Amino acid sequence: MLCALEDLGFADSFDDVYACSSGAVNAAYFLNGATWFPLNIYFDDLTTKNFLDYRRLYRGKPVMDLDYVYDEVLARRKPLDYGQIRSSVRPLHILVTNVSKMRREDAYPYKDDNDVRDALRASTWLPLATYGAANFRGQPFIDGGVVQFHPYTAAVADKCTHILSLSTKPMSHQPAVSRTNRYLVRPWLNRMRDELGDAFINSLEKDASIDKPLLRNGRMKAASNPSILDLAPLPDDPEIRRNEAERGALIRGAGKAYRVPYAVLENEEIEPVIRFIGMAGASTFSSNFRHGGTGDDRGSA
């Protein structure tokens, strides 16, 4: 959806950007002005066992390797310009969870480029998939969605008046606390910090009972103070699993999501098709999407 917003010319329409977890990395590339460039990270770099390998459990290691993400992918394969994020006139509010204080915090503003990188790393420190906590500014931090699930609430707290929210689950999704979260992640977090796991479950329950209904109703009738529009995959679109590693499913899901901003903001029905872009020094081409509908081609080649 960020790629579609960029192609539609809305990239400079926002005063502030709020994000957590992998969404924070997506938003960082969005502010770099090159959202198409890193999209194939999800297809090519995060579908290998270099990133996610459940066999590591037998060696007592976390299944997710964030060193590979930040030291290899974001540093060498698809370089992310941290300096451009710091100097952007549109602040990126990277949301992180302070383990000791058991609260969500906004990492903005940033001291230097390493501070931006460390904030992103802390915000993507997924419980259970990674062990312990990230050391950010001398304190333990983890995924920014643990104690407050959806980042739109941070924009509301900062008195933003018009909020465009992007959700990854289809509009028909009925949120519920999974057995994994209740019986594995909850005790895991409670061992890390007393009552942190309970706060995590409370956050999921609040998301299901309050946040998601509010966002769903906002699609039907515009609200005010603040005005919130949540974009999400269409009801009949397949749901992408959190740790999906099947390349075809990810590409199809990205194509489905690309249609949504066109349908909602332009009242235009399109059919995304594969396009290829070359990268200097790369041994392979990267597969992305392009506007395949009639009329003006808003997907840049």
Side-chain angles (χ1 to χ4, degrees), residues 31-49:
L31 291 180
N32 268 197
T35 311
W36 277 117
F37 173 58
L39 180 62
N40 73 310
I41 288 176
Y42 290 95
F43 312 147
D44 296 334
D45 302 299
L46 301 189
T47 55
T48 71
K49 294 189 183 302

Side-chain angles (χ1 to χ4, degrees), residues 61-272:
K61 296 182 178 180
V63 299
M64 187 179 293
D65 188 350
L66 290 182
D67 289 339
Y68 164 73
V69 175
Y70 289 95
D71 297 341
E72 175 63 28
V73 180
L74 271 62
R76 298 184 178 88
R77 299 187 185 185
K78 285 91 180 179
L80 179 59
D81 188 341
Y82 299 110
Q84 188 170 338
I85 296 169
R86 285 200 304 119
S87 62
S88 174
V89 296
R90 295 166 292 158
L92 173 58
H93 301 266
I94 301 173
L95 305 176
V96 292
T97 299
N98 187 317
V99 174
S100 300
K101 298 179 180 178
M102 206 166 64
R103 70 184 185 193
R104 184 177 68 184
E105 296 182 2
D106 185 348
Y108 179 82
Y110 309 101
K111 297 180 294 184
D112 50 37
D113 292 2
N114 287 333
D115 201 41
V116 181
R117 177 186 181 276
D118 291 346
L120 288 171
R121 186 183 179 90
S123 190
T124 54
W125 198 276
L126 189 65
L128 203 62
T130 49
Y131 292 170
N135 183 359
F136 176 54
R137 297 174 181 171
Q139 298 185 63
F141 282 84
I142 56 175
D143 189 292
V146 169
V147 295
Q148 285 185 274
F149 186 75
H150 206 294
Y152 91 90
T153 55
V156 172
D158 280 355
K159 309 298 183 183
C160 294
T161 58
H162 295 76
I163 300 170
L164 180 65
S165 166
L166 305 182
S167 295
T168 57
K169 299 294 185 182
M171 296 179 184
S172 56
H173 175 72
Q174 298 296 325
V177 180
S178 69
R179 293 176 62 87
T180 298
N181 284 329
R182 191 176 297 279
Y183 298 112
L184 288 179
V185 180
R186 179 181 190 171
W188 178 280
L189 291 173
N190 278 339
R191 286 194 296 270
M192 182 182 297
R193 200 279 195 196
D194 190 36
E195 297 184 351
L196 181 59
D198 300 332
F200 169 63
I201 296 299
N202 291 338
S203 171
L204 295 179
E205 292 174 343
K206 175 181 176 293
D207 179 65
S209 62
I210 298 176
D211 294 335
K212 282 297 191 293
L214 185 150
L215 296 176
R216 189 180 303 116
N217 293 336
R219 301 187 193 111
M220 307 300 296
K221 182 180 179 180
S224 59
N225 297 322
S227 177
I228 304 172
L229 173 62
D230 181 65
L231 301 184
L234 301 179
D236 60 343
D237 289 345
E239 185 173 325
I240 302 299
R241 295 181 295 116
R242 186 180 184 91
N243 294 322
E244 179 63 68
E246 202 279 300
R247 194 171 187 269
L250 291 168
I251 292 176
R252 290 190 295 273
K256 297 288 187 182
Y258 185 81
R259 300 180 305 165
V260 176
Y262 279 90
V264 176
L265 303 178
E266 296 289 300
N267 194 27
E268 183 178 2
E269 185 174 345
I270 66 164
E271 185 60 36

